[in-house]
Structures are given as C-alpha cells and as structure tokens.
Amino acid sequence: MKKAVYIFFLTILIVGCTQSISKSPETEPNSEADYINVGDKHYLNAWELALVDTTGISEIGKVERGSIILEGTPVFEISGYPEHNVVAVKADSNYAGLVTNTSGYLVYVLHEKDGKSHYPKTQDQQPKQIKIFSGSELLRELKGEDLSSFLVLFNNQGPHNEFHFEKRPEYTVLFIGDNALG
C-alpha cells in the first residue's frame, strides 16, 4: 500500500512538472527579464538553474547595471564555465524564497547582441541526487534506489501518465549531478 501511494505521489509530481514545461529558455524572450551587465557583457537570469556547489566560484567583477540586482554587487565565475558565459550573483533577501536560490546565489547566462545565448546543457549530466520542493519548502531528497525509481517514472511518457486537475499542486524538482549547476 505504501509503495502504491509513493508511486501515485510521484506520478502526480511528474505530471505537474511536465505539464508546466513550455519553450526552452533561450527561445522565449522576456521583455521584463532580470538582467545584469558586467563590462560589455549582458546576462539574463536563468531562474530554472541553481548553483548547487559554491566551492569553485571566484569573483570576476561587479554588476555595472541591473534590473533588480544592485550596482556593485559581486559577480562570480562558476567552476566549469571559465569563459564567463554563466555566472553567479549573491542574491539579497528579495530572492530568499526562490528554490533556485538554495545556495544564496542566482545564476545568469550570457546573451549576446545578435541574440545568441550561452545556455548550459545541464540535462546531459547524470543526476546523483534529486530535491523536490513545494514553494521554497524541501519536501523530499532522493538518492540511490529512490532516485532510480523516480527517474523511470519521470521519463515515462504517454497517455497513462497524463492527469488534468483544475488546481493541481506545483512542485520544483532540482536535479543535482557532477556539475556546479543543477
């Protein structure tokens, strides 16, 4: 019985996540986007990415202009992104409730004048841990066999995996692998 409830919960979670997926972030411009400028580089907030490992960051400059982040806020290079295509900024209390701010940093991705985005391909990494949130509350951490079972359900597509609710709960699923970003 417990296993059936667990599978039902995961199925609802999967549907909630897959139903809310729309276009990829680099193809969906937002005129009200959170941005920062550092030197001649323009970055947009990658709200769906989280800095999960802060041990490999180092300061590379300061925000010169931003829509929300204050001028003079330090900007950090993220280990694995030496070209500064993806950077992190220490977030203030206005972002305390964001799940992607679990480490206290927000992630920004370089966007060039010609529209080219340097969005990282984090989906290629093999998850070693999954954290499931409702709002900013951590509901569950999955590792080992639980992680494997969840991934099987998460990747299972088809009509048997589609539920429709008028007021369905929303969850955020953070996939953590070897990369500094999740």
Side-chain angles (χ1 to χ4, degrees):
M1 175 73 174
K2 185 178 177 184
K3 195 170 192 172
V5 171
Y6 183 68
I7 290 174
F8 179 72
F9 169 73
L10 287 175
T11 303
I12 290 174
L13 177 66
I14 291 166
V15 171
C17 294
T18 58
Q19 294 295 321
S20 64
I21 295 173
S22 61
K23 297 178 184 176
S24 107
E26 61 258 324
T27 61
E28 190 172 306
N30 181 352
S31 61
E32 299 177 25
D34 175 13
Y35 73 90
I36 60 170
N37 289 344
V38 181
D40 62 348
K41 295 184 177 184
H42 180 74
Y43 298 88
L44 293 179
N45 184 321
W47 59 270
E48 64 284 340
L49 293 176
L51 180 62
V52 295
D53 181 8
T54 61
T55 59
I57 64 171
S58 57
E59 187 173 334
I60 58 166
K62 302 218 183 275
V63 173
E64 295 174 11
R65 184 173 176 207
S67 59
I68 297 173
I69 302 296
L70 298 175
E71 288 180 27
T73 302
V75 177
F76 297 88
E77 172 183 72
I78 300 172
S79 177
Y81 302 95
E83 301 296 320
H84 306 158
N85 293 335
V86 183
V87 297
V89 175
K90 185 81 172 154
D92 66 14
S93 61
N94 291 335
Y95 290 107
L98 288 178
V99 170
T100 56
N101 189 17
T102 58
S103 63
Y105 293 84
L106 294 176
V107 177
Y108 288 81
V109 175
L110 178 65
H111 284 265
E112 296 183 22
K113 291 177 184 175
D114 64 2
K116 182 179 178 188
S117 172
H118 293 273
Y119 209 85
K121 298 197 180 314
T122 57
Q123 66 272 21
D124 295 339
Q125 66 177 318
Q126 181 63 35
K128 293 184 175 183
Q129 178 183 12
I130 294 176
K131 292 184 178 183
I132 302 170
F133 296 86
S134 176
S136 61
E137 179 186 352
L138 177 63
L139 296 177
R140 185 105 172 166
E141 288 185 62
L142 303 174
K143 296 178 182 177
E145 187 178 316
D146 289 339
L147 174 100
S148 298
S149 298
F150 179 83
L151 290 174
V152 167
L153 288 171
F154 190 78
N155 292 318
N156 192 8
Q157 307 232 345
H160 59 279
N161 205 12
E162 295 178 9
F163 296 90
H164 301 281
F165 299 97
E166 287 182 28
K167 291 189 175 186
R168 65 180 179 255
E170 291 186 24
Y171 300 98
T172 301
V173 180
L174 180 58
F175 295 88
I176 301 170
D178 291 329
N179 197 318
L181 296 176

